[in-house]
Amino acid sequence: MGLNIRKSIKLGKFLKINKTKKGYSISVGGKSFRLTLNDKKKLTASLPGTGVSYDTNLGGKKKPKKGNESE
């Protein structure tokens, strides 16, 4: 098990920028609702404390894997 350090910068009451080993994310919102966008174009909407969240990818179409192409 490794040690992970997360650094976050709060910019105002509703905006936070997080830096982890894997990348960056920006969170907007407060205690009742939060939107998070990370550097891999993934958007998460959540209701903190309830366990309810919705994830979606904002990127374009995924490239087909090799070997799955139809000829």
Side-chain angles (χ1 to χ4, degrees):
M1 184 161 54
L3 176 66
N4 292 321
I5 298 174
R6 178 174 58 180
K7 295 184 181 190
S8 62
I9 300 170
K10 229 176 170 181
L11 301 172
K13 189 174 183 178
F14 300 108
L15 182 66
K16 186 170 27 172
I17 299 173
N18 297 306
K19 168 68 174 108
T20 64
K21 188 176 179 181
K22 294 184 178 184
Y24 290 93
S25 68
I26 298 174
S27 296
V28 178
K31 292 182 180 180
S32 60
F33 182 75
R34 183 173 297 137
L35 287 174
T36 303
L37 178 65
N38 69 14
D39 58 345
K40 294 176 179 47
K41 297 181 183 177
K42 181 179 176 183
L43 179 70
T44 303
S46 63
L47 299 171
T50 64
V52 176
S53 66
Y54 175 77
D55 295 336
T56 186
N57 290 319
L58 299 177
K61 294 181 180 178
K62 292 183 179 179
K63 295 179 182 179
K65 292 181 182 179
K66 290 183 180 181
N68 291 343
E69 299 173 7
S70 58
E71 295 180 16

